[in-house]
Amino acid sequence: MELALLYSGGKDSSLAALLLDTFYDVTLVTAHFGVTEDWTHARDAAAELGYAFETLELDDEVAREATARMVEDGYPRGGIQRVHEHALEAVCGLDFDAVADGTRRDDRVPSISRAQAQSLEDRHGVDYLSPLSGFGRGAVDRLVESHLDVETGPSEEIPKADYEGELRRLIAAEHGQAAVDEVFPDHTQSYVHGRR
């Protein structure tokens, strides 16, 4: 069965791919808005891991909605959630039997509720999988440490292809760097360079 996994090049989505490839033919899919070339980081990580890779361009209007909400809220949660839900809908429209993401049990955002998962499945005729939803941060970190070569560091310094880089760029263009600094708290990101 063919599966599309939303992919950022980070440790969570990479670990999800490793867990799923026993059962599915996994294609890593990076959704983006065409604002930056950050998707190339995910392409390179996918190649290092040995998976097929595709990109999917998302609706610009969703990016505008997400950034407006983030600036209004003063934090990224609602905007990131909006983009993730849109990305899942878009990936469900591709020709795959199943779709998945790398969300973990402890993630506050993005997250997909049971009702949202069932709705995706019913409306698109696909299986939705969240292979890390039963794993806490510690379990994920231990599995990653033993199976993946990972670089970690401050979000703005680590190459990645999640939604954040493009949303930061859009907010900076419209509201300035101070707005970006206000919306996004300091946090650590990861980038996978291959398997151990």
Side-chain angles (χ1 to χ4, degrees):
M1 290 180 26
E2 301 285 332
L3 177 137
L5 172 67
L6 275 177
Y7 189 65
S8 67
K11 66 181 176 118
D12 295 339
S13 54
S14 295
L15 180 59
L18 295 180
L19 293 171
L20 290 165
D21 75 2
T22 299
F23 306 103
Y24 295 92
D25 292 324
V26 175
T27 298
L28 304 180
V29 178
T30 297
H32 65 95
F33 293 105
V35 174
T36 70
E37 297 293 311
D38 287 351
W39 62 267
T40 61
H41 301 303
R43 178 201 60 204
D44 296 346
E48 289 295 325
L49 293 173
Y51 289 106
F53 178 78
E54 293 182 17
T55 61
L56 177 63
E57 193 155 337
L58 300 175
D59 184 347
D60 293 342
E61 182 58 32
V62 173
R64 286 189 288 278
E65 292 170 12
T67 56
R69 179 163 184 188
M70 292 161 81
V71 169
E72 181 180 323
D73 292 348
Y75 51 87
R77 183 180 300 166
I80 296 288
Q81 183 68 30
R82 171 69 177 107
V83 172
H84 189 71
E85 290 172 6
H86 173 60
L88 278 173
E89 288 285 345
V91 171
C92 283
L94 300 175
D95 191 25
F96 288 92
D97 302 303
V99 298
D101 61 27
T103 56
R104 300 175 312 205
R105 181 189 71 206
D106 300 336
D107 287 343
R108 285 192 265 163
V109 67
S111 64
I112 300 299
S113 71
R114 180 174 290 168
Q116 288 171 308
Q118 289 172 332
S119 177
L120 284 171
E121 291 178 335
D122 292 346
R123 289 181 293 109
H124 295 284
V126 300
D127 294 329
Y128 166 74
L129 301 151
S130 181
L132 301 183
S133 64
F135 291 82
R137 174 183 221 120
V140 167
D141 289 346
R142 284 186 288 281
L143 287 170
V144 164
E145 186 176 323
S146 64
H147 294 286
L148 295 169
D149 177 18
V150 178
E151 174 185 3
T152 60
S155 180
E156 53 282 343
E157 295 176 18
I158 296 296
K160 62 188 175 306
D162 63 3
Y163 319 122
E164 185 181 320
E166 290 187 310
L167 297 174
R168 280 176 177 263
R169 177 83 56 93
L170 291 169
I171 291 171
E174 188 169 341
H175 302 282
Q177 186 60 41
V180 174
D181 296 340
E182 183 178 319
V183 167
F184 289 96
D186 291 338
H187 61 286
T188 300
Q189 289 279 14
S190 64
Y191 179 68
V192 171
H193 291 283
R195 299 179 195 231
R196 286 191 183 268

